[in-house]
Amino acid sequence: MAISVVMPALEMAQETGKLVSWKKKSGEQVKKGEMLLEVETDKAVVEIEAASDGILGGVTAKEGDVVPVGQTIAWLLKPGEQPPTNVAAAQTGRKMDSAPAAAAAAAAPVAPEPASAAGAKISPKARRLAREHGVDIAKLRGSGPGGEILAEDIMKASASAAAPAAPAAATARPTSAPPAPSSGPPEAVSSIGRIMAERTTQSWTTVPHFFVARDVDATALNAMREGLIPVIEKSHGVKITHTDVMVSAVARALKQFPRMNGSWVNNAVSLNADINVALAMAVENAVVTAVIRNADKLPLGAIAKQRKELAERAKANKLQPADISGATFTISNLGMFGVDAFTAIIVPPQAGILAVGAIADRVVAVDGMIGIRPMVTLTLSSDHRIIDGARAAQFMQEVVGTLSDPGKWLA
């Protein structure tokens, strides 16, 4: 029996994926577990394994196509077997746009999209955005074919509703606008970068962020790390970093404050059973978030080893689906670039993200005297729908207490 190869869903709210490359050619034998294709999402390029043995055939998507999640793009066949003609015919000749937003609107699934309350069709992405932004689709006329409501229609309606009415005087425009400054040719943006821009804009404009910052004396943290470097190198073959200690400290604090480990889903708070800490990692022209699963249950050496392996796969564009999915909280560390402090944008539906600055000597008060201590600034961004100021402050107090006396908790 023919086994369908579909565009996989690698993360929450993913609607399309870009086919980067086929690892096998049409007509070539494929073994279960072999790398079959590469897919690009807004977070990473991920290699997908074959789910079964078979001969690759009935390929309907080429490299560079943006395909809706769940759509069949090929088949794994037995010798002499042909791909199902009804599915193949339904997808033959379908032109995929290179932009995810356009693909979600233009490349609809085979089954027709149900009509909206106003009688017009609406794309899946537009329907999701309408729920998130509280837009009444019954009052909209879509700009898509046949009046279909698209994602951009929802965003325009949301922006119009949020914008205050401008005074009449402010609407006046000069008869001639000054010439725009000259600029060079536009810089090409990868699909990862393009979707990342869309997601961060959506988060910043729809999630009620608030921020809590603390300065931490890293004297004990530095001493503990130096002492554990040779021990963990011997046991796990990896050099422990400050980020590894941060992951462990944050994971333990999340266990004490489960609401900070929660998510905002369908206008309600959902508490996650697992503590999966994502690390923001810079790769070429983008940032990916790789996940250390069940971080609260792992010793420091295991965290350090996973972090190193994830970083290596991220740089080589070899992240697997499990590497980028299921995060419940994120850490972004820019200390290695000499950044003293910064605020980070939340990754929905997570409750928060912790921004970590550089550890550097500062002049501080020590027992009523002037002293010099290695200090680091932590800034927590929180979703006010999930967490309030007092709980965010208590969470930060727990993290700071752990880092101030790490030998007691993290050894």
Side-chain angles (χ1 to χ4, degrees):
M1 180 178 178
I3 304 297
S4 63
V5 178
V6 302
M7 176 58 66
L10 304 176
E11 58 193 69
M12 295 182 65
Q14 179 189 340
E15 295 174 350
T16 62
K18 180 179 179 181
L19 177 60
V20 176
S21 66
W22 286 103
K23 295 298 186 180
K24 296 288 184 177
K25 297 179 180 178
S26 183
E28 191 172 353
Q29 180 68 44
V30 180
K31 295 291 186 182
K32 181 179 180 180
E34 285 187 319
M35 295 303 171
L36 184 58
L37 66 154
E38 284 184 320
V39 173
E40 181 180 286
T41 72
D42 64 328
K43 293 182 179 179
V45 175
V46 181
E47 290 185 332
I48 305 299
E49 298 178 353
S52 178
D53 295 344
I55 299 171
L56 183 63
V59 177
T60 60
K62 64 181 184 299
E63 296 179 357
D65 284 350
V66 176
V67 184
V69 165
Q71 179 172 302
T72 298
I73 57 177
W75 297 88
L76 294 177
L77 310 168
K78 294 180 179 179
E81 188 177 22
Q82 297 297 320
T85 55
N86 58 334
V87 178
Q91 295 179 350
T92 299
R94 176 169 290 166
K95 180 66 175 177
M96 300 299 172
D97 194 282
S98 60
V110 175
E113 174 69 23
S116 72
K121 291 183 178 180
I122 179 170
S123 73
K125 182 176 183 179
R127 189 177 296 280
R128 173 174 60 82
L129 289 175
R131 288 196 302 267
E132 294 176 354
H133 291 264
V135 174
D136 185 357
I137 59 178
K139 298 180 180 179
L140 294 184
R141 177 173 176 79
S143 60
E148 180 180 7
I149 299 173
L150 308 181
E152 48 263 42
D153 299 324
I154 300 297
M155 298 307 294
K156 288 179 182 178
S158 176
S160 298
T171 61
R173 294 289 185 271
T175 56
S176 61
S182 60
S183 60
E187 181 179 346
V189 180
S190 67
S191 58
I192 291 180
R194 198 162 48 241
I195 301 177
M196 182 176 67
E198 178 184 323
R199 294 285 177 85
T200 52
T201 300
Q202 181 183 347
S203 174
W204 185 249
T205 55
T206 62
V207 175
H209 288 62
F210 75 95
F211 311 98
V212 176
R214 287 287 301 269
D215 291 331
V216 184
D217 186 338
T219 302
L221 172 62
N222 286 344
M224 187 216 67
R225 175 177 172 267
E226 289 298 321
L228 286 179
I229 285 177
V231 176
I232 292 179
E233 277 188 318
K234 183 177 180 180
S235 62
H236 290 82
V238 62
K239 186 174 182 178
I240 188 176
T241 68
H242 289 102
T243 296
D244 302 326
V245 181
M246 288 288 175
V247 170
S248 187
V250 165
R252 282 158 173 74
L254 290 171
K255 194 170 184 178
Q256 297 297 319
F257 296 90
R259 201 172 178 93
M260 183 59 76
N261 193 54
S263 300
W264 184 256
V265 181
N266 296 328
N267 293 321
V269 177
S270 175
L271 299 182
N272 297 301
D274 297 327
I275 295 176
N276 302 327
V277 179
L279 294 175
M281 298 180 177
V283 296
E284 186 176 2
N285 297 325
V287 175
V288 299
T289 50
V291 183
I292 297 178
R293 297 181 177 279
N294 299 307
D296 59 314
K297 301 176 182 177
L298 298 177
L300 267 175
I303 290 175
K305 186 175 182 180
Q306 282 197 36
R307 184 264 312 155
K308 181 182 178 183
E309 292 172 348
L310 288 169
E312 290 173 348
R313 289 203 291 272
K315 290 179 181 178
N317 285 332
K318 300 294 183 182
L319 288 171
Q320 300 298 308
D323 295 336
I324 62 172
S325 62
T328 60
F329 189 88
T330 299
I331 297 175
S332 180
N333 189 348
L334 294 180
M336 66 286 293
F337 300 109
V339 174
D340 292 325
F342 67 104
T343 54
I345 299 176
I346 295 169
V347 182
Q350 297 169 31
I353 180 171
L354 184 68
V356 182
I359 297 178
D361 287 344
R362 303 181 200 169
V363 177
V364 295
V366 181
D367 297 329
M369 303 290 289
I370 295 176
I372 297 178
R373 290 288 188 272
M375 304 293 293
V376 59
T377 299
L378 309 179
T379 307
L380 175 67
S381 306
S382 300
D383 184 340
H384 217 315
R385 298 171 299 184
I386 306 175
I387 203 84
D388 56 46
R391 292 182 185 180
Q394 290 170 346
F395 171 80
M396 282 288 276
Q397 190 172 25
E398 181 71 20
V399 173
V400 171
T402 302
L403 295 176
S404 298
D405 189 11
K408 180 179 178 181
W409 301 100
L410 304 177

